[in-house]
Amino acid sequence: MYAIIESGGKQFNIKKKEKIIVEKINKKIGKKIKLNIIILFKKNNKIILGKKLNNYCVIAKIKKHIKNKKIKIIKFKRRKNYLKIKGHRQKLTILKIKSIQKINKKNGT
């Protein structure tokens, strides 16, 4: 069983008990979150796409907040004695996938 989800404008292929690195989610470490944007779901050679996926969600636990390696942004104009260097480190979150489950509309889980 696996699913393709969207988080932070990127798509991730996930399985149960797998760790993924996504853009930072503003929640505390150890909290469980629901990821509702599911693009594809596959179970027992049966693929589900489209509107039927509104009934599914992915439960994940936040393991750690990290920063990616630094990238350099360079602005340069030749023969003008102009050079500007800036750095950027993207903040990321490590998630551990707990389960991919169907939502019961009556009790909300």
Side-chain angles (χ1 to χ4, degrees):
M1 169 174 27
Y2 73 88
I4 297 176
I5 63 163
E6 185 176 329
S7 176
K10 298 178 180 80
Q11 295 177 359
F12 300 94
N13 188 354
I14 60 165
K15 295 179 184 172
K16 192 175 176 182
K17 298 182 181 178
E18 187 177 59
K19 290 184 182 179
I20 60 170
I21 299 174
V22 298
E23 291 199 23
K24 186 173 184 199
I25 298 172
N26 289 323
K27 302 277 184 183
K28 292 189 177 185
I29 295 173
K31 288 272 189 176
K32 289 185 180 177
I33 60 169
K34 281 186 183 179
L35 301 169
N36 292 326
I37 304 174
I38 301 174
I39 297 167
L40 179 138
F41 179 72
K42 181 180 178 191
K43 183 176 183 180
N44 300 332
N45 294 328
K46 184 179 179 185
I47 295 175
I48 303 171
L49 291 168
K51 293 182 180 178
K52 295 178 185 176
L53 288 171
N54 294 337
N55 300 333
Y56 289 89
C57 74
V58 174
I59 306 296
K61 186 175 182 181
I62 296 177
K63 286 297 198 180
K64 194 192 254 189
H65 295 296
I66 60 173
K67 286 186 177 182
N68 205 359
K69 70 177 198 175
K70 185 177 264 190
I71 60 167
K72 289 184 179 179
I73 297 119
I74 300 172
K75 293 184 178 181
F76 174 75
K77 292 183 182 175
R78 63 186 189 148
R79 296 189 298 266
K80 305 292 185 204
N81 200 19
Y82 176 76
L83 174 68
K84 188 175 184 181
I85 300 174
K86 210 182 213 183
H88 174 73
R89 292 183 73 181
Q90 184 68 39
K91 294 178 181 177
L92 304 170
T93 300
I94 297 175
L95 297 176
K96 181 163 185 179
I97 306 301
K98 293 291 183 185
S99 65
I100 304 168
Q101 61 188 16
K102 193 167 188 174
I103 300 172
N104 296 332
K105 294 291 182 181
K106 292 180 182 177
N107 59 11
T109 56

